């Protein structure tokens, strides 16, 4: 199997500070030394890397976006996307486990949680001792998340949840979930409230894990609520603000999916370059055939564009256009990474279709980046809606 040599440095440093550059190098070293060995086997066996995830916790990678006063590492969004990219370059599944805990569990608790909730839950998550998840999607409510049916009814000093969440990343390995449920059936999107639900709450069951096409070393399963009791103090944000909290969370977390796509794209390019130098056809390395060179040029150019968009969105999180910028980054980076994996596999010829070659796994892993946290169609909707608003 071809071993990918390092590629020439990207033209972009996007003003990475010395601290951010050290972080990038450290995460790359950790990913190469601790995650790469065994990544293919874990994928084949659909095995969650519990030990590696707890090492990531000890390094502060699971509480990157949590303020230091709540036990987090207090990194900015640019540092976060740099770390996700480096993890995804080596193992997109492990990057997904990490980014979900950071961006759709810790982030909304940190931004919308009461002081008590933050003090009670964030230090545990930020330390990496436990993982987090996010429950928005339901079997009948995907892109149209506002039509969700999971109910929450008040009973004394608790809420009681009934319903089902589908496709929940980290279900089965997480200890806390941010869950959206309907508290007012008559109020459409304004009748949805967010809750922080413990995985061991009475009445919460984790369904059978999904048999996924990719990201097989990460866990994804349904959450089944049957008279599930949640303490009233675990309400996240205002009553009826759950849908807004979900959208704000996704506006931010899409940066992580864009970064995951950039990391996969980077690796697909590295593998294409290495293989095309090594494979000889018609008496010369295939890298010397123009059709192959042009594919590589295209992949490299789209990679730079995707990285610039992603990092530019990451340094714009306080702007009014932050949500649109994150959607644009996610849309472009995920579709470009899908094209790159397609072309890289094409360059590998029949060998690309073999599990012996890393590109075969990347080709499966990359597909979902254009689907989760909003499909490409939904990103185009979000972007155009913001631009065409009166
Ligand atoms: C591996 C994985 C992990 C996930 N993790 C989580 C998680 O942790 N938490 C969570 O809540 N969810 C999670 N999801 C769910 C994910 O966010 C949804 O799958 C996604 O939002 C799409 O919803 P859907 O699958 O129901 O597709 P649908 O909404 O049924 O869409 C089907 C197709 O129709 C298109 N479509 C729908 N409406 C329109 C429209 N108005 N105009 C044009 N086209 C449209 C879509 O773009 C898509 O192509 C995960 C999914 C996967 C695959």
């Amino acid at each position: 199997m071809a071993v990918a040599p390092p590629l020439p440095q990207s033209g972009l440093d996007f003003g990475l500070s010395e601290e951010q550059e050290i972080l990038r190098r450290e995460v790359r070293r950790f990913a190469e030394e601790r995650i790469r060995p065994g990544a293919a086997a874990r994928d084949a066996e659909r095995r969650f890397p519990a030990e590696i995830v707890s090492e990531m916790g000890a390094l502060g990678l699971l509480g990157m976006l949590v303020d230091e006063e709540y036990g987090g590492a207090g990194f900015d969004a640019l540092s976060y996307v740099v770390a996700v990219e480096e993890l995804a370059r080596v193992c997109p599944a492990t990057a997904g486990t990490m980014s979900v805990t950071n961006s759709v569990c810790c982030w909304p608790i940190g931004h919308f949680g009461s002081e008590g909730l933050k003090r009670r839950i964030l230090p545990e998550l930020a330390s990496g001792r436990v993982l987090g998840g996010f429950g928005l999607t339901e079997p009948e409510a995907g892109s149209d998340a506002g039509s969700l049916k999971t109910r929450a009814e008040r009973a004394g000093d608790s809420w009681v949840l009934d319903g089902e969440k589908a496709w929940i990343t980290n279900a089965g390995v997480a200890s806390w979930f941010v869950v959206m449920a309907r508290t007012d059936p008559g109020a459409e999107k304004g009748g949805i409230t967010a809750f922080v639900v413990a995985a061991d709450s009475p009445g919460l069951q984790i369904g059978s894990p999904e048999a996924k096409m990719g990201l097989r070393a990460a866990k994804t399963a349904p959450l089944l609520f049957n008279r599930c009791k949640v303490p009233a103090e675990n309400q996240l944000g205002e009553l009826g603000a759950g849908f807004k909290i979900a959208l704000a969370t996704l506006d931010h977390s899409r940066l992580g999916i864009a970064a995951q796509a950039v990391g996969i794209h980077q690796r697909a390019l590295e593998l294409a370059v290495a293989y095309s130098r090594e494979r000889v056809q018609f008496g010369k390395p295939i890298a010397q055939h123009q059709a192959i060179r042009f594919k590589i040029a295209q992949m490299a150019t789209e990679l730079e564009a995707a990285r610039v968009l992603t990092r530019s969105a990451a340094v714009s999180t306080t702007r009014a256009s932050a949500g649109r910028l994150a959607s644009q980054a996610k849309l472009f980076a995920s579709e470009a990474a899908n094209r790159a994996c397609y072309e890289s596999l094409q360059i590998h010829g029949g060998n690309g279709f073999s599990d012996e070659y890393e590109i075969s796994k990347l080709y499966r892993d990359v597909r979902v980046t254009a689907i989760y946290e909003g499909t490409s169609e939904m990103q185009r909707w979000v972007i155009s809606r913001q631009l065409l608003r009166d």
Side-chain angles (χ1 to χ4, degrees), residues 134 136-137 142-143 167-169 368 371-373 375 377-378:
F134 178 73
L136 178 64
T137 306
S143 302
W167 286 104
I168 306 307
T169 302
V368 77
I371 294 173
Y372 60 12
E373 297 201 10
T375 61
E377 290 76 12
M378 287 302 107

Side-chain angles (χ1 to χ4, degrees), residues 226-355:
N226 183 6
R227 308 294 300 157
C228 172
K229 254 177 109 168
V230 177
E233 61 266 25
N234 282 25
Q235 181 183 315
L236 179 63
E238 300 287 307
L239 190 69
F243 195 66
K244 282 191 183 152
I245 291 174
L247 294 189
T249 300
L250 292 170
D251 274 352
H252 190 274
S253 67
R254 284 177 184 136
L255 294 172
I257 309 299
Q260 186 185 31
V262 172
I264 297 172
H265 193 151
Q266 170 72 41
R267 185 65 179 165
L269 174 63
E270 291 171 11
L271 294 171
V273 167
Y275 189 85
S276 64
R277 280 185 175 142
E278 204 171 84
R279 175 71 175 168
V280 173
Q281 287 295 281
F282 297 95
K284 54 187 177 183
I286 58 170
Q288 290 179 26
H289 298 302
Q290 193 181 52
I292 302 293
R293 298 179 84 89
F294 281 15
K295 285 185 197 299
I296 286 172
Q298 186 69 25
M299 288 164 69
T301 305
E302 292 194 17
L303 174 62
E304 289 285 339
R307 188 176 282 131
V308 169
L309 274 182
T310 302
R311 293 188 182 179
S312 151
V315 296
S316 307
T317 51
T318 54
R319 294 194 188 170
S321 55
R324 173 172 61 80
L325 295 171
S327 278
Q328 287 174 332
K330 196 257 187 199
L331 171 64
F332 184 81
S334 63
E335 295 203 337
N338 269 276
R339 286 191 290 275
C341 288
Y342 179 93
E343 293 294 19
S344 182
L345 193 149
Q346 191 70 13
I347 288 171
H348 283 72
N351 282 336
F353 202 62
S354 160
D355 287 343

Side-chain angles (χ1 to χ4, degrees), residues 159-201:
W159 287 93
V160 177
L161 271 61
D162 280 289
E164 178 175 346
K165 295 288 172 183
W167 286 104
I168 306 307
T169 302
N170 289 347
V173 290
S175 297
W176 293 102
F177 298 97
V178 170
V179 174
M180 310 300 156
R182 190 165 291 287
T183 41
D184 181 350
E188 300 196 347
K189 288 169 186 163
I192 296 170
T193 301
F195 299 92
V196 183
V197 181
D200 60 2
S201 301

Side-chain angles (χ1 to χ4, degrees), residues 63-121:
M64 286 191 79
L65 301 171
V66 176
D67 285 348
E68 281 166 294
E69 69 169 304
Y70 302 110
F75 280 108
D76 55 19
L78 180 56
S79 305
Y80 169 66
V81 297
V82 164
V84 174
E85 179 188 329
E86 290 298 341
L87 292 174
R89 177 182 161 273
V90 170
C91 182
T94 308
T97 299
M98 172 269 199
S99 70
V100 162
T101 297
N102 273 292
S103 67
V104 287
C105 190
C106 290
W107 190 89
I109 297 173
H111 279 74
F112 302 104
S114 64
E115 193 54 30
L117 206 52
K118 290 198 268 195
R119 295 228 171 269
R120 188 152 52 89
I121 295 172

